[in-house]
Amino acid sequence: MTGPHLDPDLLREIAEYPNSFGPLGPKDERIEARRYTLCMGQGTLWNTVQRHRFPAEEVDEVLEEVRALLRARGRGRTQWEIGSAAEPPDLVDLLLQRGLVPDKEAFAIAMVLSQEPPPPPPDVQSRRIQTFEEFVGANEIQLAVFGASEEEAAEQRSLLADRWRESPNIVHAAWRGGTMVSAGRCAPTQHGLLLYGGATRPDARGRGGYRAVVRARWNEAVARGTPALFTQAGEMSLPILERLGFERVGHVHMLLDEFGNKSPFPG
């Protein structure tokens, strides 16, 4: 069953929490607890808490439970992605009161595309990447556009060889005049493709590169028999995605919890 035929609540949940629905790599981990879902990627820096469902009076217990799970794995930080139907409804405020802070990009619109997007300009070519060198180039575009810290960039680069061999995600890119200008990842599911990290070099914006990468991923989804794309749109990508036919289905607040990986208790 593809995206357009899904129950609206499930459609929204997939778009708000794609990491809870995507395939796992051999070094990824996902804990589907009764009150939340905790997703952990390769390395130590990429972690996210999603699909929150607990009463407000349990927020301190859940917060420490999540931190304990991460500390046990040598991780000292996590993002909380809080969707439009999260329980408790005031979870964002409750977590801010407990010291969490808005992430670099603190709010996104959950979106779904279920119709064919327009083609790219004729001078822009897009396709799935084919070599490790192209994979590295796509990663560098994403690191630069999303403003990764030195620590984040170093970890990302150190994991590239493993991810090239093992990741279930797919990377597409767009070229203009023989130069890679845009790139984006996606993950296949039975409902459609989950889109991540669409980025275009600043000196190439406004020339169809981003549109070309979206179209390449749509073609991939159609070829797989699941013609739907799910994504989260920030301030920069939202107007572009709406012009391409994506529809709003929800929203997500992103908070950051940096708590250290040492136990708060002595002994």
Side-chain angles (χ1 to χ4, degrees):
M1 183 176 293
T2 56
H5 307 293
L6 293 178
D7 174 83
D9 289 337
L10 179 57
L11 195 74
R12 171 191 47 75
E13 194 169 32
I14 295 170
E16 289 182 346
Y17 304 127
N19 302 112
S20 292
F21 293 88
L24 295 176
K27 296 176 183 175
D28 300 330
E29 184 178 5
R30 184 162 58 217
I31 297 174
E32 298 183 3
R34 175 177 58 84
R35 299 182 289 191
Y36 57 85
T37 298
L38 174 60
C39 305
M40 293 166 281
Q42 187 180 5
T44 61
L45 298 179
W46 189 91
N47 312 290
T48 181
V49 190
Q50 306 182 336
R51 306 181 75 196
H52 319 92
R53 43 194 181 273
F54 53 86
E57 57 267 24
E58 295 180 10
V59 64
D60 291 308
E61 180 182 337
V62 171
L63 185 59
E64 188 46 48
E65 181 178 305
V66 168
R67 288 171 172 175
L69 287 168
L70 290 163
R71 286 192 185 103
R73 293 159 173 79
R75 300 169 186 240
R77 58 183 280 188
T78 187
Q79 187 186 63
W80 285 65
E81 295 187 60
I82 303 164
S84 57
E87 292 289 341
D90 57 346
L91 182 56
V92 173
D93 290 336
L94 292 172
L95 292 173
L96 289 172
Q97 292 166 14
R98 285 156 174 80
L100 276 69
V101 298
D103 208 345
K104 287 182 295 187
E105 187 153 3
F107 183 77
I109 302 296
M111 309 191 81
V112 178
L113 179 70
S114 57
Q115 59 186 355
E116 182 179 356
D123 63 341
V124 178
Q125 295 76 44
S126 59
R127 58 169 172 79
R128 186 170 176 171
I129 62 168
Q130 298 174 349
T131 67
F132 180 65
E133 290 70 26
E134 290 178 348
F135 185 63
V136 171
N139 185 73
E140 289 302 317
I141 289 176
Q142 292 170 322
L143 289 176
V145 169
F146 292 111
S149 68
E150 290 185 11
E151 181 185 19
E152 291 167 336
E155 180 173 278
Q156 289 281 334
R157 291 175 180 131
S158 72
L159 298 172
L160 283 178
D162 283 349
R163 286 179 173 164
W164 173 247
R165 292 191 300 266
E166 301 173 350
S167 176
N169 292 343
I170 303 164
V171 180
H172 294 82
W175 287 260
R176 189 172 184 272
T179 299
M180 185 184 293
V181 295
S182 301
R185 292 177 288 117
C186 62
T189 76
Q190 62 178 318
H191 308 301
L193 295 186
L194 312 174
L195 308 191
Y196 306 107
T200 299
R201 286 173 36 177
D203 61 350
R205 288 176 183 159
R207 302 178 184 179
Y210 190 94
R211 186 185 355 153
V213 172
V214 169
R215 180 57 185 252
R217 291 182 286 182
W218 170 265
N219 293 344
E220 180 89 29
V222 170
R224 290 171 175 268
T226 55
L229 303 180
F230 299 84
T231 195
Q232 295 177 357
E235 182 178 0
M236 183 178 297
S237 61
L238 178 61
I240 305 172
L241 291 171
E242 287 190 316
R243 288 196 298 270
L244 296 180
F246 281 81
E247 298 180 356
R248 303 185 186 207
V249 295
H251 64 257
V252 186
H253 291 270
M254 274 78 76
L255 303 181
L256 187 63
D257 185 21
E258 297 190 275
F259 52 87
N261 60 15
K262 294 182 179 179
S263 170
F265 306 108

